[in-house]
Amino acid sequence: PAVYRLIAIVGYPVAIALIAIGLPIQALLLALTFPFDRNHVVSGRFLRFIGEGCGRCFPPWRLEVQGRWPAGGPFVVVANHQSMLDILMLARLPREMKWVAKESLFRIPWVGWMLRMAGDIPIRRGDAESGGEALARARRYLDHGMSVMIFPEGTRSAKGTLLPFKSGAFRLAIEAGVPVLPIAVHGTAHGMPKGGPWVRPCHAYARILEPIPTQGRTQEEVGSLKGEVRRRIAAELPPEERGAAA
């Protein structure tokens, strides 16, 4: 409808202005904290704050985080991926994490620079060497007490249904001996469908589930861990979004 296009026409410039103003502030925060903040917690949290602000530029979106962040950690945080809107909603999570994201995002002016200053991790799809480098960097963060965030589907679903999970996040969790923290995402595919810029009204949630320990698991159990996490996320979604069993 025309009203939503009007909201987008107004909302996008406001969001762009937030990013434009945010970049020099983030750069200053990074310069001031770099000597003692090796995990880039301050610059990372600032970027998530900007992401949350961008989500609030579009009133038809009702974005909600459900559940409590568990004690302990660090975690390998995994969530299903329905839309680019997932990023703005997950920015509302109450803890800093380093995101593993496709390299093309890091090449976008302003946005990519902010991702790099936040310490997020680029990965080239289909490139085994890049994947190995990304997981090694994620492991270093985990060793320093910082959680990492991975979309195990590897891409957004065109129809909002759950896709098969890739194994990297679960190999990483077992290797590092840290729990997997599943998050179920619902509703964002309606708010910003894949392939289009126009916003639509939605009530979306990111539901924090119970962490799954990996202590004592071996790499031979990657498949069973992956299946367990996927089943838990699927159980929190409407039947039409669960996809085929995998």
Side-chain angles (χ1 to χ4, degrees):
V3 64
Y4 299 127
R5 296 197 175 204
L6 178 61
I7 289 170
I9 289 169
V10 174
Y12 276 121
V14 175
I16 291 169
L18 274 177
I19 294 169
I21 294 169
L23 186 141
I25 297 174
Q26 186 191 25
L28 177 60
L29 290 172
L30 179 61
L32 292 174
T33 60
F34 184 80
F36 55 85
D37 184 12
R38 63 183 175 181
N39 281 340
H40 295 191
V41 175
V42 175
S43 58
R45 287 309 293 166
F46 181 77
L47 177 57
R48 317 312 165 200
F49 171 76
I50 294 295
E52 180 180 354
C54 289
R56 296 185 185 279
C57 292
F58 303 93
W61 290 340
R62 294 173 56 204
L63 309 179
E64 180 183 0
V65 172
Q66 301 175 351
R68 293 188 177 184
W69 192 269
F75 303 101
V76 173
V77 184
V78 298
N80 57 307
H81 197 11
Q82 295 190 342
S83 163
M84 289 300 289
L85 181 52
D86 299 339
I87 297 170
L88 304 184
M89 180 166 65
L90 292 170
R92 300 183 178 210
L93 291 170
R95 295 289 186 277
E96 172 58 6
M97 309 173 291
K98 299 308 172 188
W99 294 55
V100 178
K102 60 182 181 180
E103 187 186 50
S104 58
L105 293 176
F106 290 76
R107 295 197 295 266
I108 299 173
W110 253 257
V111 172
W113 304 337
M114 296 182 82
L115 291 171
R116 292 186 187 279
M117 286 194 292
D120 290 333
I121 305 168
I123 185 170
R124 284 191 301 277
R125 289 177 180 168
D127 186 323
E129 182 178 354
S130 174
E133 292 172 356
L135 291 179
R137 189 171 168 194
R139 173 64 189 272
R140 288 194 292 273
Y141 274 125
L142 292 169
D143 290 344
H144 291 143
M146 172 59 65
S147 295
V148 297
M149 167 72 206
I150 299 174
F151 291 115
E153 293 162 291
T155 187
R156 290 170 287 161
S157 169
K159 297 181 179 180
T161 55
L162 196 60
L163 300 175
F165 282 6
K166 300 181 185 299
S167 298
F170 309 100
R171 265 200 326 269
L172 173 65
I174 290 175
E175 180 183 312
V178 303
V180 175
L181 181 60
I183 296 180
V185 170
H186 163 70
T188 53
H190 301 288
M192 182 180 277
K194 185 174 182 178
W198 301 115
V199 302
R200 299 178 183 177
C202 71
H203 181 193
Y205 62 73
R207 183 171 294 156
I208 303 171
L209 308 180
E210 288 295 315
I212 300 173
T214 64
Q215 289 286 351
R217 295 193 190 232
T218 67
Q219 290 295 327
E220 286 70 32
E221 297 174 85
V222 165
S224 61
L225 176 62
K226 177 176 66 173
E228 180 182 355
V229 172
R230 191 178 184 279
R231 285 190 296 272
R232 290 199 187 186
I233 290 176
E236 301 294 326
L237 302 176
E240 65 272 15
E241 293 183 7
R242 293 173 186 169

